[in-house]
Amino acid sequence: MSEHIPYPWQQDFWQRIVQQIVANKTPHALMISGQQGIGKWHFAQALADYLLCLSPKSELACGQCRSCQLIAANTHPDKKIFIPEEEGKAIKIDQIREISTFVSKTAQQGGRKVILLGPVEQLNINSANALLKNLEEPAGDTVLILMTHVLSGVMPTIRSRCQLLPMSAPSKSVAVGWLNDLQVGDAETLLDLAGGAPLIAKEMVEGDYLEHLQIFVKTLDSLSSHSNDMPDITAATQWLPLSVNHITQWWLQIIHRILVNSGSSDDVLDGDSMDNLEKGYGVTQYVQRILSAGRHFNRQWLLKFSDKLILLRQQQLQGANPNMQLLIEELFMDWHVIVQRSIRQ
Ligand SMILES: [Zn+2]
């Protein structure tokens, strides 16, 4: 059997697309969209394998034919993958130019050719236009499988030339069931932390995600204290191992929760989930203190700072390579101003 079998929550999507292929209505270009961490890329791989397999069984790639063996060895000449050369960076124009060359060649294994490309929102304008050209002149036997985490970040002209496949996150029970099968510990809490994305929850247990999250909230807690006249800039070095992606994502989540909570006089925290967090990972006490300090922060300033974080995320996606030390120090100063301003109100 193929190493890429669609996840349990993807069965409906899988049935739909396989039926289409069996009926000889394979789309020239498919755009799989949806939240990060729900297995879109895995699904795309499974589909590529299926399209290239010479004798699919039970609606999946057989895993045994010559084509499947080439795929397993990562040497299939008719399958091409285009992803950013560095994580979080842009897909380069030179990469997109390779598509035209690939499309113009005859399939070496006598079947289809398949291109996997994503995330599409990580194409800069030149690359996107180059891709568009390929979509305008579809080559008979080539199937383009595109993937995006942010459909709204994809050029409308690209979107309109693809068959769209919006993929929703699994229901909580399905995702928790899947995580439990992997024996990852407190599946429900992890899923909560991962915003409902099961693959992110899985990654959190495997990598240094939780350790980094702890470093982040601990430092932000101390920066949010009123007692400091100046922010502790030396703490910036502690954030150096963290990615811009994580820093901005976590910070935006915290600001969102501050803004949501600032109107209410009740307990700022959602009791149950936070209890679980505390038991599991020891980040709650810090988050709790940041949120309670945050109730006095100026909304306008928080929103302005959010905009800055969002812009940073976008620049990162477009391949920006900032000096991390300077960037973190600058963000520390910004936050310090927000904290200080709240005292004077
Ligand atoms: Zn096969």
Side-chain angles (χ1 to χ4, degrees), residues 297-298 301-302 305 334-342:
F297 295 173
N298 180 300
W301 284 62
L302 281 175
F305 186 62
D334 289 343
W335 192 250
H336 181 71
V337 171
I338 293 174
V339 174
Q340 287 302 308
R341 201 182 152 87
S342 72

Side-chain angles (χ1 to χ4, degrees), residues 96-240:
I96 303 299
R97 287 197 184 115
E98 274 184 57
I99 294 183
S100 317
T101 322
F102 179 73
V103 167
S104 63
K105 283 187 194 153
T106 320
Q108 293 188 36
Q109 292 296 315
R112 294 185 180 91
K113 286 178 293 179
V114 180
I115 291 169
L116 290 160
L117 186 150
V120 183
E121 69 274 17
Q122 283 176 231
L123 293 167
N124 61 28
I125 188 81
N126 291 335
S127 309
N129 280 322
L131 174 65
L132 189 59
K133 265 195 173 165
N134 285 290
L135 290 169
E136 281 166 347
E137 305 150 16
D141 58 350
T142 308
V143 181
L144 258 117
I145 307 174
L146 309 178
M147 185 278 288
T148 175
H149 305 307
V150 194
L151 189 58
S152 58
V154 176
M155 266 178 19
T157 39
I158 291 185
R159 257 184 289 169
S160 67
R161 282 175 176 81
C162 299
Q163 176 182 322
L164 300 182
L165 179 67
M167 200 173 273
S168 39
S171 69
K172 192 169 180 178
S173 61
V174 170
V176 167
W178 182 77
L179 286 167
N180 277 334
D181 286 346
L182 301 176
Q183 303 189 317
V184 293
D186 185 351
E188 212 167 323
T189 304
L190 280 170
L191 188 67
D192 226 29
L193 265 175
L199 298 183
I200 293 181
K202 178 173 174 261
E203 193 186 298
M204 279 160 60
V205 216
E206 292 168 347
D208 38 22
Y209 185 100
L210 285 172
E211 194 194 319
H212 285 178
L213 178 62
Q214 274 167 359
I215 294 171
F216 173 82
V217 291
K218 204 171 162 182
T219 309
L220 192 62
D221 171 38
S222 92
L223 290 173
S224 304
S225 151
H226 289 156
S227 56
N228 308 326
D229 286 341
M230 282 300 289
D232 179 11
I233 293 292
T234 56
T237 51
Q238 291 172 22
W239 280 15
L240 286 178

Side-chain angles (χ1 to χ4, degrees), residues 49 52-56 61-69:
D49 296 0
L52 292 168
C53 175
L54 302 172
S55 53
C62 73
Q64 285 158 3
C65 69
R66 194 178 67 239
S67 198
C68 283
Q69 282 174 21

Side-chain angles (χ1 to χ4, degrees), residues 260-325:
V260 167
N261 285 318
S262 64
S264 84
S265 56
D266 302 334
D267 183 8
V268 286
L269 295 167
D270 161 3
D272 277 354
S273 70
M274 293 316 274
D275 280 352
N276 281 336
L277 271 181
E278 178 128 29
K279 265 185 260 144
Y281 311 107
V283 294
T284 327
Q285 69 217 47
Y286 302 114
V287 175
Q288 198 150 18
R289 276 207 298 264
I290 301 167
L291 293 187
S292 100
R295 295 167 86 176
H296 307 287
F297 295 173
N298 180 300
R299 286 181 77 89
Q300 294 307 321
W301 284 62
L302 281 175
L303 288 169
K304 218 172 128 195
F305 186 62
S306 295
D307 289 345
K308 182 167 184 170
L309 294 176
I310 291 166
L311 186 68
L312 268 175
R313 282 180 79 83
Q314 288 167 347
Q315 287 168 345
Q316 185 70 13
L317 287 176
Q318 285 155 12
N321 194 9
N323 176 319
M324 280 298 277
Q325 178 81 29

